[in-house]
Amino acid sequence: AAANERHESRPTFSLELTVTACTIAKALPHTIGAGRRLSMGMALRERANALRYLGKFKDALLALDYAERFFDTSPGADDFDLALVWLLRATVFMKGERLPEGIVVARDASRVFRDYGDRDRELTSVMVEACCLLLSGHAQEAAEAFGRVSDLARERGNTRVLASALQNGAAALVDLQQLDRAERIYSEALVLYDELGASTEKARTMWALGSLVVARGQLEEGAARLDHSRAELARLGLTNDAAQATLEWAEARLALNKPEGVAAACRKIVVVFSSEGLQHHAKEALAALHEGLRAGKATPELVRSVRLYLEQLPANPTQPFVMAS
């Protein structure tokens, strides 16, 4: 419970708490039977939640697999316990670009929550499904789904779900080039995340607003916002997000013909992927960027090609990096 309260504000510390919870659960006497198995399942599920916030998706899925086994074999567990695992798994699938799987698992979780009358978690499951639709390129369908979730969350006074639905709905509107409307919705989400103390999602929303300002053509303001965002993302331990934000900032700076500090910042970029293959491809792309910066030949197009390549790499793990011409 202590870890769950801290995933968004202090994800690294919350992971430490879940590791301790797992250690305690494992040390419980076998004589308590189902209680021990339930404790292990819950501790592992929460550990997966912490890993998910830190972007360690492979480890999160492994923890969820173990948690599900404990719930499956425990007489004290029910479908609701498993649905919580499925919701987390669907979220990890979404973050890891395993979108068709994410849609299926989110729908399974949603049905269970509906049967139990847990409308809030049902809404969350529907929202994960909508996120998968958005990432699959169905922006209009996703925007409509997020709008429905926002309306229902507002009616129920569920601020957390409302903030997330607004954040993701705004992303769909950006894809549809409705930038002014997207900015208004992002701004509302930012206020809600601040009220909730949700540091990680607040930082991601600030990053999204910086990207939106750049997309509108306001490069100076956008670059300044991205500079602040990349520092905050790194401070929170969101390594891959910080890398992407830094690349966006570098792209804007080069487009402004202001390369000062870009090479130094890009040299500090770190990306973390679960497989050695993905890590190798990422290093190749970053090496091409570093060489271009070293030779004074880096362009906004090169930075953008590296940024988009790293963003799409989990969904295209065998795709080699091709430098922009």
Side-chain angles (χ1 to χ4, degrees):
N4 186 274
E5 293 173 358
R6 292 165 174 78
H7 288 323
E8 291 180 332
S9 61
R10 300 180 66 189
T12 303
F13 179 54
S14 74
L15 177 60
E16 294 176 7
L17 290 177
T18 64
V19 170
T20 302
C22 288
T23 302
I24 294 169
K26 188 176 181 180
L28 293 173
H30 289 266
T31 53
I32 65 174
R36 181 178 184 274
R37 300 192 68 81
L38 279 173
S39 296
M40 284 297 300
M42 291 176 183
L44 284 163
R45 186 174 63 201
E46 212 55 60
R47 182 180 180 183
N49 208 0
L51 290 165
R52 186 255 300 190
Y53 272 93
L54 290 169
K56 298 180 179 181
F57 301 140
K58 182 179 179 181
D59 292 337
L61 289 173
L62 184 61
L64 288 171
D65 288 344
Y66 282 120
E68 187 166 7
R69 291 174 196 168
F70 279 108
F71 288 130
D72 270 339
T73 57
S74 175
D78 56 26
D79 289 345
F80 189 87
D81 289 308
L82 288 170
L84 290 171
V85 172
W86 297 340
L87 176 55
L88 281 174
R89 184 179 286 128
T91 305
V92 174
F93 281 155
M94 175 190 70
K95 296 288 187 179
E97 302 289 334
R98 294 170 61 174
L99 305 177
E101 295 168 280
I103 291 170
V104 171
V105 178
R107 287 174 178 169
D108 288 342
S110 177
R111 281 192 290 270
V112 174
F113 293 135
R114 188 182 310 120
D115 290 342
Y116 274 79
D118 191 330
R119 196 65 182 277
D120 290 335
R121 286 193 173 91
E122 180 189 350
L123 289 175
T124 302
S125 302
V126 173
M127 189 164 59
V128 172
E129 179 186 347
C131 287
C132 291
L133 287 168
L134 174 61
L135 294 169
S136 299
H138 304 289
Q140 185 61 51
E141 188 178 353
E144 292 168 1
F146 287 127
R148 291 194 299 273
V149 175
S150 297
D151 291 341
L152 289 168
R154 210 183 293 275
E155 288 175 12
R156 294 182 62 77
N158 191 323
T159 305
R160 187 171 299 277
V161 172
L162 174 59
S164 188
L166 290 169
Q167 180 190 45
N168 288 289
L173 293 172
V174 169
D175 283 358
L176 294 169
Q177 291 301 301
Q178 298 181 31
L179 300 183
D180 290 344
R181 186 180 171 199
E183 184 174 23
R184 290 195 298 273
I185 294 175
Y186 270 138
S187 297
E188 183 180 356
L190 192 64
V191 171
L192 294 176
Y193 280 133
D194 189 47
E195 292 175 356
L196 290 166
S199 302
T200 57
E201 293 309 317
K202 179 182 176 182
R204 288 187 172 113
T205 304
M206 291 175 65
W207 170 25
L209 277 166
S211 301
L212 185 152
V213 171
V214 169
R216 187 182 281 142
Q218 299 168 265
L219 297 182
E220 285 278 7
E221 181 184 350
R225 290 189 180 214
L226 289 170
D227 194 25
H228 174 77
S229 293
R230 69 191 186 92
E232 181 64 7
L233 291 164
R235 186 186 71 80
L236 290 168
L238 303 173
T239 305
N240 285 8
D241 287 347
Q244 289 285 355
T246 296
L247 288 169
E248 284 193 57
W249 168 80
E251 184 182 335
R253 292 279 297 179
L254 291 174
L256 287 164
N257 198 27
K258 294 182 177 180
E260 300 83 6
V262 169
C266 289
R267 279 196 298 271
K268 296 178 182 177
I269 287 177
V270 175
V271 291
V272 179
F273 291 104
S274 57
S275 79
E276 291 183 8
L278 293 181
Q279 200 69 41
H280 176 73
H281 285 314
K283 287 180 179 178
E284 286 183 336
L286 289 172
L289 173 62
H290 295 156
E291 177 58 28
L293 289 166
R294 187 195 63 78
K297 297 179 179 179
T299 63
E301 291 73 23
L302 171 60
V303 179
R304 186 180 308 119
S305 67
V306 173
R307 175 171 61 82
L308 294 177
Y309 176 76
L310 294 177
E311 181 180 302
Q312 298 163 9
L313 186 55
N316 301 279
T318 61
Q319 181 70 34
F321 175 70
V322 179
M323 190 179 299
S325 56

